[in-house]
Amino acid sequence: MAIQTVGIVGAGQMGSGIAHVFALAGYDVLLNDVNADSLSKGLDTIRRNLERQASRGKITEAERDAALARIRTTLTLAELGPTDLVIEAATERETVKQAIFDALLPHLKPETILTSNTSSISITRLASRTDRPEKFMGFHFMNPVPVMQLVELIRGIATDQPTYDALLEVVGRLGKTAASAEDFPAFIVNRILVPMINEAVYTLYEGVGNVRSIDEALKLGANHPMGPLELADFIGLDTCLAIMNVLYDGLADSKYRPCPLLTKYVEAGWLGRKTQRGFYDYRGETPVPTR
């Protein structure tokens, strides 16, 4: 299963980051999105991040230019059909992901490996809707992709060993480290991380501390580089809520009940950095707590 060409669905923060690291590792990348502006912004992000790496001496200017030359874009999903590996990095909604795979299937080569960058949704269930559940895996990158070293590899119940081995080799070529996870809600990282964030929101909701005191407590008391509420804003409060709902629905344990305050922020459209307001207000020069 030699992989040389990679199709990526979704040119947002995750998709553009994944395209960046694959192109830098020597893969030919075809980046797809339904929105031309998103594709343009994704390419601009990749260009800026590669430029930053070159200016800091982490890559050469020749490597920067070669990586950019390996990335093509398309608004037509079917054009990803001839690629060796497809990585779906669309929004964290199962119906959207299923629709993407349904549209892709008629155009794929028989040997193409399908993957999802989902942070929480069942790989087995997504795979079961395709014609190749044995060649389907979870391929979960951490944000920001060019910086974070971990990739979670999640096998569905039908995933075969050659598919796993092929993706393990890809992770090595990217210069990253793989953690193998079983296909249970939220896998490893988010199974541990997002309930911690949810508990921080409960701590805020119950008045135990305010936004600043909670974040300072975890940064200085547990040596975390970011406080949990600051991190929630970085991830996106809608994503945090979606993961908590997957955990709550999938494991039927009350300890995974999303905090009502998290739900309220999402209802308000205060989703964190991407909307300029979440647990902090980012519209000024410095972030200001909203509670």
Side-chain angles (χ1 to χ4, degrees), residues 9 28 30 56 99 110 122 144 148 180 194 209 242 250:
V9 184
D28 292 322
L30 184 56
R56 294 175 179 174
S122 167
M148 301 293 279
S180 296
V194 180

Side-chain angles (χ1 to χ4, degrees), residues 180-261:
S180 296
E182 293 301 315
D183 184 25
F184 290 97
F187 319 129
I188 296 172
V189 173
N190 284 322
R191 170 78 176 262
I192 297 167
L193 177 65
V194 180
M196 182 199 75
I197 289 172
N198 192 55
E199 193 62 29
V201 183
Y202 266 115
T203 306
L204 177 65
Y205 176 61
E206 293 168 4
V208 179
N210 60 30
V211 168
R212 200 178 295 284
S213 65
I214 291 166
D215 277 351
E216 288 299 312
L218 267 293
K219 283 193 282 189
L220 301 179
N223 207 26
H224 289 189
M226 264 190 205
L229 301 175
E230 182 186 5
L231 180 58
D233 278 357
F234 180 75
I235 293 169
L237 304 193
D238 52 339
T239 300
C240 293
L241 180 60
I243 293 168
M244 286 308 302
N245 279 323
V246 166
L247 283 165
Y248 191 44
D249 294 342
L251 298 172
D253 192 324
S254 61
K255 72 180 180 180
Y256 297 116
R257 184 171 68 95
C259 180
L261 184 61

